[in-house]
Amino acid sequence: MDDRDGAPDPCPVCKRLSTRPHDDCRHDLDRTLAQLPSLYHQLEQALPPGRRGTTSRAPSYGTRLPVRLDSLDLRARGGIEGVLTCWETDVRHHLALPDTPYRGTVEQQINSAVTFLRGNLLWILDQHPAAGDFATDIHNITAHATTVITGEPRERRLRLACPCGATLAITLSTPGRLCACGQQYGFHELRHLDLAPRNAA
């Protein structure tokens, strides 16, 4: 991590101040990445409409769609595959590696991208300028897929008030957040902030 001014940067995953990403945060993100090939397979079982896990409604007119769009979107190119491939391409660019190869099916692309990203995870969290965005994207796509499969409602979003006057949008599993004022909040620090007023920007 860049430490030019002598002060530690926040961990890109949980936002707690640290001289480098925490081992537990890295291991958690590695486990999350490792789940994605399995979640891709499980989404196939969620394709038929009307099964447990349905989060989208069929139109009240016309012909009922033969598949669930939320599951189909995640399994199609640009879904889970799109998130992983975009990040692999970006990491390859930063490391001056050859472009991401075409590997065939969506499943093959997901499996290979997960292998690549897990193999470079330490560098990503230590050196990538958008490591926090990477962690957020991986957690979000995993949570979305899990929601579609299990049928559990998406986590409720809360708006918290920073003493500077800004609001921070989080869910109950948000590991940390950096406020626009520069204040970094870890998981526990966020839980001690007050809820923002309903009319807060």
Side-chain angles (χ1 to χ4, degrees), residues 20-56:
R20 60 176 299 150
H22 301 103
D23 286 340
D24 56 340
C25 292
R26 179 168 55 84
H27 292 318
D28 176 66
L29 189 56
D30 183 62
R31 286 192 296 268
T32 301
L33 270 168
Q35 292 176 31
L36 286 169
S38 174
L39 291 175
Y40 173 81
H41 274 292
Q42 293 177 57
L43 283 164
E44 185 175 9
Q45 305 302 315
L47 280 172
R51 298 181 59 132
R52 183 169 184 254
T54 298
T55 57
S56 59

Side-chain angles (χ1 to χ4, degrees), residues 37 40-41 75 77 81 84-85 88 100-116:
Y40 173 81
H41 274 292
R75 283 180 53 85
R77 291 197 186 275
E81 177 271 340
L84 295 173
T85 299
E88 179 179 354
T100 303
Y102 176 75
R103 291 150 174 153
T105 67
V106 173
E107 180 180 6
Q108 289 169 329
Q109 189 69 35
I110 288 173
N111 292 342
S112 297
V114 165
T115 298
F116 175 88

Side-chain angles (χ1 to χ4, degrees), residues 12 18 24 26 32-33 38 43 59 63-64 68-70 73-74 77 86 90-91 94 96 99 117 125 131 154 164 168:
S18 175
D24 56 340
R26 179 168 55 84
T32 301
L33 270 168
S38 174
L43 283 164
T63 304
R64 183 180 176 86
R68 289 177 49 207
L69 293 181
D70 49 7
D73 286 345
L74 286 166
R77 291 197 186 275
C86 282
D90 186 71
V91 171
H94 281 282
D99 292 342
L117 293 171
L125 294 181
R154 290 197 182 189
C164 75
L168 304 170

Side-chain angles (χ1 to χ4, degrees), residues 150-198:
T150 65
E152 297 294 329
R154 290 197 182 189
E155 287 186 295
R156 180 186 172 195
R157 294 182 68 81
L158 303 174
R159 296 175 67 80
L160 305 179
C162 177
C164 75
T167 61
L168 304 170
I170 71 164
T171 67
L172 293 179
S173 63
T174 297
R177 183 70 79 234
L178 174 65
C179 183
C181 71
Q183 177 65 46
Q184 287 117 12
Y185 294 99
F187 181 90
H188 296 291
E189 289 83 3
L190 280 173
R191 275 70 192 166
H192 287 91
L193 293 178
D194 293 329
L195 290 172
R198 287 184 177 273

